[in-house]
Amino acid sequence: MMTLRLGLALSLLCLCAFANPRPAAAETDSAKGLPAISLSLNEIHAWIDRSHPLLKGAVTEKTMARGRMLKALGAFEPTLINDTEIERFIDKGTGQTLNGGFNDTLIEARDPMGFRYSAGVRTALGTEAKIPDLAFGPNNQQQVILGGFFPLLKGLMVNPEKAELQRSELADPRADVRIAQTRQDLFLAAATQFWDWVAAVRYVDMQRKALKVAEDRFKQVEGRAKAGAVAPLDVVEANQEVQRRREVAIAAQRQVEQEQFKLSMFLWENNAPTLPAIDRAPDFPAQTLSPSPSPDTVQAHKLQARNERPEIKEITIEAKLNDIDLELAKNNLLPSLDAEAAPARAPEKFVLGLGYRFGLELKIPLLQRKSRGEVLEAQGKADRFVMVQKFREQQVVIDVDNALSAIERAKERMEAAVQSLRLAKTLEEGERFRFSLGATSILFVNLRERNSVDSEAQVIRAKADYQKALALYQWAIGAWASGTPGPTPVNYRARD
């Protein structure tokens, strides 16, 4: 009988297992009430790459660059032309009134070298035409028409249309530079704001703990006062300290909310900023700092900064654009000598027998004021770009040195602040022990605790400034411009 009951029980357990499968990991974690996953700086940067409107707006520069390229190429695209012209005129030889003309179907195109070409077919209309060149068809009433315009001095190799095409070719790398600059600035601003938010959250947690200590002490002192062990004035002192710390905690909560709103401007979802959850605020990394990077490493980072920083690349592109304008301005100083060969366009000349016309035109401006002014303006810009590029390169070097200085001073501040906090905690514990023995008053205990809170706040600020200095270094060397993580100036190992 016992064996039968045991078998039935096992069968029921199996049925329940099949009917109620094991819950998913997410549901299990939710049931256990696991803490939220901490928000990281890399996640915020990925969020910016994915959905920030300013970065999306910068990406439209690529579309604009493609549009400018197509617009510039439009000057060189072939054009199909169909032209019909008929005139009424009198033949001087016979005195007869004639109605005659032609229909042209041809393709025209322009070459970046400055040449213009045309080729097509002409058909006589209205009366018989006398065609001396390239005639074909029934009664030789059709003609192959060829034409060309050839600049021999001004406009040869260098011309406004080709210059615009060269400018459009620089539009795409210029768009890349602007996107990189926007990305760099957003990443730095997000990193700064992220650590300000983390510091604010850690600070309000500290103030709440201090408030809880003051509230517990107030209840303790109040009970001792009722028992006659302490003076009623100590109760007032303890209550005043509670109100003071409550006011500070409220101000700290307001600071958290303010930093939370600021950080939300980097976290966009569905075209709207998203507030980060307070419980996702991480702790500062527990780290053992290693020695500063070697001079060779710093020099390599400075060289990288000169190559990767968008400000340097932008100046280079601006200089190239100005070189195009300068070359065009110098070309405009040349005399204009143009050769042209084209079929006759007047219907009566075509009908009477004139086939092609040829020409050579020379123009020499006497004063060249406009062209000389353009050359002077472009040359002045070129000289300015040389100076600006030197300034930008030195600015990049200074930015790297400044970031390294910020890192070093933040490390020193962290060490001093941690030592100060350790001493403040020692004094606080000693004062509490003396208070328990009745050797001191509650006022001195409050002062020691305030000193500990101030020391811990200094540690929080130093840690936040250190993390912001690391972010500043990444920005200074252009690590975020290309979308790949850059070198870290200070390596550290996380404690177990």
Side-chain angles (χ1 to χ4, degrees):
M1 189 67 178
M2 182 64 68
T3 304
L4 179 61
R5 289 180 178 176
L6 183 59
L8 290 173
L10 290 174
S11 300
L12 288 174
L13 287 173
C14 292
L15 289 173
C16 291
F18 282 111
N20 300 303
R22 185 178 181 180
E27 295 176 357
T28 303
D29 294 345
S30 177
K32 291 181 180 179
L34 294 178
I37 299 175
S38 297
L39 191 64
S40 67
L41 185 58
N42 289 336
E43 182 180 350
I44 291 178
H45 286 172
W47 208 323
I48 291 173
D49 273 337
R50 182 175 67 250
S51 59
H52 199 281
L54 292 182
L55 193 55
K56 284 185 175 180
V59 172
T60 60
E61 293 278 350
K62 300 285 286 184
T63 304
M64 297 167 61
R66 289 193 295 269
R68 185 168 183 178
M69 172 65 77
L70 289 175
K71 182 180 177 182
L73 289 173
F76 306 102
E77 64 183 13
T79 304
L80 177 64
I81 300 174
N82 188 274
D83 180 27
T84 301
E85 297 189 22
I86 298 178
E87 291 187 4
R88 182 177 177 85
F89 57 92
I90 298 176
D91 188 344
K92 293 183 179 179
T94 63
Q96 183 181 2
T97 301
L98 301 176
N99 295 319
F102 55 81
N103 174 264
D104 285 352
T105 301
L106 68 154
I107 293 178
E108 286 187 353
R110 181 192 299 269
D111 187 87
M113 301 287 289
F115 304 145
R116 296 197 301 268
Y117 310 96
S118 64
V121 176
R122 170 173 290 180
T123 303
L125 299 176
T127 185
E128 290 189 1
K130 299 176 182 178
I131 302 175
D133 304 305
L134 302 178
F136 71 97
N139 299 324
N140 287 333
Q141 292 300 290
Q142 291 179 300
Q143 180 185 20
V144 175
I145 53 175
L146 302 173
F149 174 84
F150 310 96
L152 303 179
L153 291 176
K154 179 180 178 181
L156 180 63
M157 304 288 292
V158 180
N159 52 78
E161 291 78 16
K162 183 180 179 181
E164 182 60 27
L165 180 60
Q166 291 174 327
R167 295 190 196 99
S168 68
E169 291 173 350
L170 293 173
D172 191 70
R174 191 179 191 182
D176 291 333
V177 167
R178 291 179 176 177
I179 293 172
Q181 183 66 66
T182 303
R183 191 174 189 270
Q184 277 258 108
D185 294 343
L186 283 174
F187 275 29
L188 176 61
T192 302
Q193 186 56 48
F194 173 72
W195 293 115
D196 284 341
W197 175 64
V198 172
V201 173
R202 299 282 76 82
Y203 182 75
V204 77
D205 289 343
M206 178 190 65
Q207 293 296 343
R208 287 171 179 170
K209 291 177 182 178
L211 174 60
K212 183 65 169 58
V213 170
E215 290 175 341
D216 292 342
R217 182 180 297 111
F218 170 67
K219 293 178 182 180
Q220 179 187 6
V221 172
E222 190 176 30
R224 295 179 64 185
K226 290 179 180 179
V230 297
L233 192 60
D234 288 343
V235 179
V236 177
E237 175 73 23
N239 191 14
Q240 190 270 340
E241 185 66 17
V242 169
Q243 302 307 318
R244 178 186 178 279
R245 296 186 185 184
R246 180 173 291 125
E247 184 272 333
V248 174
I250 292 173
Q253 179 61 32
R254 166 63 190 132
Q255 185 67 25
V256 169
E257 294 171 357
Q258 177 176 324
E259 302 299 337
Q260 187 181 21
F261 285 124
K262 290 181 179 179
L263 184 59
S264 69
M265 294 304 296
F266 299 96
L267 308 177
W268 284 73
E269 196 71 38
N270 297 325
N271 295 322
T274 302
L275 286 175
I278 298 298
D279 58 354
R280 294 199 65 191
D283 291 325
F284 289 104
Q287 54 201 18
T288 302
L289 300 177
S290 64
S292 302
S294 64
D296 292 340
T297 302
V298 173
Q299 187 63 30
H301 291 173
K302 289 180 179 179
L303 292 177
Q304 175 186 340
R306 289 186 175 184
N307 295 328
E308 297 297 333
R309 282 283 290 271
E311 297 92 329
I312 303 297
K313 293 182 178 180
E314 186 173 14
I315 290 297
T316 302
I317 292 175
E318 293 289 344
K320 290 181 179 179
L321 291 171
N322 187 72
D323 289 342
I324 295 172
D325 294 338
L326 179 60
E327 187 179 10
L328 182 62
K330 290 181 177 179
N331 183 263
N332 289 335
L333 289 171
L334 299 175
S336 176
L337 180 61
D338 302 326
E340 184 177 9
R345 299 300 301 168
E348 73 277 6
K349 294 180 180 179
F350 166 69
V351 172
L352 292 178
L354 181 61
Y356 278 85
R357 57 187 176 86
F358 302 91
L360 187 65
E361 182 181 53
L362 175 64
K363 292 182 180 179
I364 303 177
L366 298 180
L367 300 180
Q368 291 280 26
R369 292 174 178 174
K370 179 180 178 181
S371 299
R372 288 190 290 114
E374 291 174 347
V375 171
L376 286 176
E377 182 180 5
Q379 188 62 56
K381 288 183 178 180
D383 295 339
R384 186 189 67 178
F385 283 133
V386 172
M387 298 295 105
V388 172
Q389 185 168 17
K390 290 182 179 178
F391 172 79
R392 294 297 184 198
E393 290 176 353
Q394 294 303 316
Q395 185 181 40
V396 164
V397 173
I398 293 299
D399 286 342
V400 175
D401 290 336
N402 179 53
L404 283 173
S405 173
I407 292 172
E408 292 302 314
R409 301 294 83 77
K411 287 166 55 179
E412 294 174 0
R413 283 180 56 202
M414 286 172 59
E415 294 173 357
V418 169
Q419 183 66 18
S420 175
L421 176 60
R422 186 179 297 112
L423 296 174
K425 288 294 184 181
T426 301
L427 292 173
E428 178 186 342
E429 293 299 327
E431 199 68 34
R432 284 179 180 172
F433 179 73
R434 293 178 61 193
F435 179 73
S436 66
L437 298 178
T440 185
S441 67
I442 190 174
L443 173 62
F444 288 100
V445 175
N446 290 335
L447 291 176
R448 295 300 187 190
E449 290 180 349
R450 292 179 195 174
N451 185 40
S452 295
V453 170
D454 291 342
S455 298
E456 190 171 355
Q458 291 297 328
V459 173
I460 292 174
R461 294 191 188 97
K463 288 182 177 181
D465 289 344
Y466 177 73
Q467 297 299 329
K468 289 190 285 187
L470 292 179
L472 180 63
Y473 191 88
Q474 295 292 303
W475 174 86
I477 64 177
W480 294 323
S482 59
T484 56
T488 302
V490 179
N491 299 319
Y492 59 85
R493 301 180 300 276
R495 290 200 187 103
D496 293 336

